Structure formats: structure tokens, C-alpha cells
Amino acid sequence: MIVYPNEWKRNYSSCADVETDFVHIIENLLEDVLCEIDVFNLSYSGGIDSTIMLSVLQRIYSGVHTYTIASREDHPDILFARIGSEHYNTIHHEFIVEPNSKDTDKFNGDNVVRQFFENIKNDVEEIICCDGIDEFMCGYYDHMNMLPETYEFYLSRLYPDHLVPLNKNSAGVDVYLPYLDDSLINVYKQIPLFRKVSKSERKIVMKELARNLKIPNEIINRNKYGFCDAFLTKNKGAI
């Protein structure tokens, strides 16, 4: 069940354009949020967003636990999560799950999420997830058309396509979504679209933040895989 933020059932949309030092503001606010929620278990994909979260978590807590789910041992998320977990010296856990439902050969994202939480629920009462930042910080390849309507479309799908299934399939584990704290959303909304994405680069602000945090370059530069695509890709160790 999603327990943080309390108001996650909301209309997600953008706002005004303002120019300021967004990178350091986001970093400081994220640290404040993580201190407030006091959780040190992280659902970790080895991507830039979850590694930013890990970097700030590791600054606050010792003994951070990272949990990675994938469909095979040589899956990109497994390989990159190992890089990040070794870099930050976390207590790392991996789960290989079947991406299909028992009664069908088709990929079932809800089934994968459910298996993940079923695997961890006996040992983990609460966990941090990184949902929402792709929508606000232009993490999808479609964002590179730089159209406001594309940006608004992905924001409109955050609640029904990502948060509702996450809440439904979390198997009683308390889920925290620091990237969706109001203080951070208010900053995301002020960042002009051209600062978030260009015709050649996505997540510009997040990459700047990752470089400031000295996150390993191979994680910053890895290719983006959507949750479903990452499970289905056959490209071993793809970046």
C-alpha cells in the first residue's frame, strides 16, 4: 500500500516556467524528504533515478538495503544494480521472477510487481520506490519531441498506469514515493520543458544531479528501458 505521500491520489499536471538552480534545490529537498520518512530499503533498478535516491540515502543511513527484480540473471537491471550496490556498499538482494501469469504466455506487469512484493514482504515492512520522476523529468523517448502535450500525456497516465497498480500489488508492504513529495513536485513544475529534455537528450536535470553526486558514468549513460521493455529485452547487459 502506498503510504507516502498521503495525497498520491491526485491530478498530476505541469505548471509555470521559472529559471533557477534546480539541481541543488532538488538534491537538498530529496535529502530532507528521506530524513523525514526514515526508510532505508530501496527498490533498485540500477538506473539513474534510483541511483540518485541511493546516493542520497547512503549519505543519511548506513546499512541501506537494495532490492532488484528481473526476469533473468544477466538482465540489465541486475547488472547495473550490482554496479550501484557495490559502489555504495549496500546490502543487496536480487529476485528472478517469471514475467508471465501462470495462465498466459503474455507479459503481465502487475504479476511481476506482485511477485516482487510477495518475495520481500516477510522481511520488509516498508520500502522506497522511485515512481513518478520519469513523468516529471522527461524520462521517456517520446519526450524528445519536446511537445507540451506529450509531457502532459505522460503525467496524466502516472496515476492510473503506475500508482494504482503499485498500490494494488504491494502485498501489504508500505510503499514510500519520495519523488512525489509536494515540495519536490512544486519544483518540477517550475522547470521549463527545454531544461528537462532536448531533441538529443532526456532527463537533463537528473543527469546534472547525478554528475554532481558522482554517480558512476555507466549508470548515468545507460539506455532507458521501460518496466515492461526491460523484462522482455533479449540484449544481454544492454546499456
Side-chain angles (χ1 to χ4, degrees), residues 5-13 136 155-156 158-160 163 180-183 185-186 189:
N6 293 328
E7 64 286 353
W8 63 271
K9 298 179 180 180
R10 59 185 293 170
N11 176 36
Y12 292 94
S13 60
F136 278 105
L155 282 177
S156 74
L158 172 57
Y159 172 76
L163 302 187
L180 295 183
D181 184 84
D182 273 349
S183 65
I185 288 177
N186 289 336
K189 288 180 174 182

Side-chain angles (χ1 to χ4, degrees), residues 117-155:
F117 284 103
E118 289 289 345
N119 271 290
I120 69 172
K121 70 178 183 180
N122 291 331
D123 301 312
V124 176
E125 294 182 356
E126 51 192 13
I127 194 167
I128 290 170
C129 295
C130 297
D131 298 69
I133 198 65
D134 273 330
E135 286 75 13
F136 278 105
M137 287 301 201
C138 299
Y140 299 105
Y141 285 106
D142 284 352
H143 281 126
M144 293 169 69
N145 64 26
M146 298 187 67
L147 296 176
E149 51 264 39
T150 300
Y151 183 69
E152 294 295 340
F153 169 76
Y154 278 105
L155 282 177

Side-chain angles (χ1 to χ4, degrees), residues 51 54 56 65 70-71 73 77-78 97 120 147 156 159 164 172 176-177 189 191-192 209-210 218 223 236-237:
T51 305
L54 174 55
V56 180
H65 287 250
S71 56
E73 289 283 350
D77 283 7
I78 291 287
V97 303
I120 69 172
L147 296 176
S156 74
Y159 172 76
V164 170
Y176 290 76
L177 305 175
K189 288 180 174 182
I191 305 175
L209 175 54
E218 53 264 56
N223 283 343
K236 297 182 178 181

Side-chain angles (χ1 to χ4, degrees), residues 8 15-17 34 42 55 77-78 131 149 151 200 231 234 237:
W8 63 271
C15 195
D17 290 348
L34 292 175
L42 175 66
S55 177
D77 283 7
I78 291 287
D131 298 69
E149 51 264 39
Y151 183 69
S200 59
F231 267 83
K234 301 297 184 184

Side-chain angles (χ1 to χ4, degrees), residues 28-46:
N28 292 334
L29 286 174
L30 184 58
E31 182 171 354
D32 290 344
V33 170
L34 292 175
C35 287
E36 177 185 347
I37 65 177
D38 193 27
V39 175
F40 48 84
N41 299 314
L42 175 66
S43 176
Y44 185 48
S45 69

Side-chain angles (χ1 to χ4, degrees), residues 195-239:
R195 280 284 284 115
K196 297 177 180 180
V197 66
S198 70
K199 296 289 186 181
S200 59
E201 186 177 16
R202 298 168 295 109
K203 301 174 84 163
I204 295 172
V205 173
M206 298 304 284
K207 288 181 179 179
E208 291 175 5
L209 175 54
R211 286 189 284 268
N212 282 353
L213 292 171
K214 295 181 171 52
I215 285 172
N217 285 329
E218 53 264 56
I219 290 177
I220 296 174
N221 297 323
R222 72 171 284 193
N223 283 343
K224 163 72 177 176
Y225 286 105
F227 184 68
C228 297
D229 293 338
F231 267 83
L232 297 173
T233 181
K234 301 297 184 184
N235 189 356
K236 297 182 178 181
I239 59 172

